Each structure stands twice: as structure tokens, then as C-alpha cells.
């Protein structure tokens, strides 16, 4: 389960919450609607609810996809809108 809030958001701050069944290292990627990768990083998740702050100061107004992928290839996606 992946949630991003506020959505839509304004300014630079976006909070992503993801629930994990176990401790794991995941790859976080952010793409714009044109498929350009804007951010990529490794995130260490704990069992349960995890909060990942995002700095969106370089993002223009528009829609974005956030994707988490674990080492087994399982993906969780969310769409966010910046006003």
C-alpha cells in the first residue's frame, strides 16, 4: 500500500507512506508524464508503516508517478499532482 499526501500538493513538500510486510531495501523512482526519471534512491523499509519525505522543489506543476520496487520485482505505484 502506497499513499502520497497531500495530493494534489503545492510547494516543495510531499510525504509518501508505504506499508511493508517485512524489513527490506527498495528502490524509489519518480517519473514525470513524459517518462523522464526525476529522482531515484534506495530506501530501507521497516515492517509496518514507513514515511518517506520527498523534496519536490525542482518539479514543475504537473502529474508524476512514484514507484517502489523491491528485490523480487514487486512494484507499488502512485500518481501525484503538483499544482
Amino acid at each position: 500500500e502506497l499513499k502520497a499526501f497531500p495530493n494534489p500538493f503545492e510547494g516543495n513538500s510531499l510525504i509518501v507512506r508505504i506499508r511493508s510486510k517485512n524489513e527490506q531495501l527498495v528502490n524509489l523512482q519518480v517519473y514525470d508524464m513524459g517518462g523522464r526519471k526525476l529522482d531515484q534512491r534506495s530506501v530501507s523499509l521497516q515492517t509496518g508503516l514507513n514515511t518517506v519525505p520527498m523534496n519536490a522543489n525542482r518539479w514543475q506543476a504537473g502529474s508524476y508517478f512514484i514507484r517502489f520496487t523491491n528485490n523480487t520485482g514487486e512494484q507499488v505505484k502512485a500518481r501525484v499532482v503538483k499544482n
Side-chain angles (χ1 to χ4, degrees):
E1 175 186 7
L2 174 65
K3 292 185 178 182
F5 64 93
N7 192 13
F9 70 101
E10 294 181 6
N12 300 333
S13 295
L14 176 68
I15 303 296
V16 176
R17 286 195 177 155
I18 184 166
R19 187 171 302 279
S20 181
K21 296 176 187 173
N22 51 17
E23 291 183 14
Q24 60 181 320
L25 186 64
V26 297
N27 186 30
L28 175 147
Q29 297 173 322
V30 178
Y31 293 91
D32 66 14
M33 295 303 286
R36 290 182 297 268
K37 189 185 309 179
L38 302 178
D39 192 4
Q40 178 174 334
R41 60 180 133 150
S42 294
V43 178
S44 180
L45 299 180
Q46 303 301 314
T47 302
L49 188 62
N50 296 266
T51 301
V52 181
M54 303 287 300
N55 183 346
N57 64 344
R58 295 183 297 142
W59 303 6
Q60 301 296 317
S63 296
Y64 298 89
F65 288 104
I66 300 172
R67 179 172 71 188
F68 282 86
T69 307
N70 66 14
N71 61 357
T72 62
E74 181 181 354
Q75 294 184 1
V76 181
K77 299 178 185 176
R79 181 174 171 259
V80 296
V81 177
K82 182 174 183 180
N83 289 333

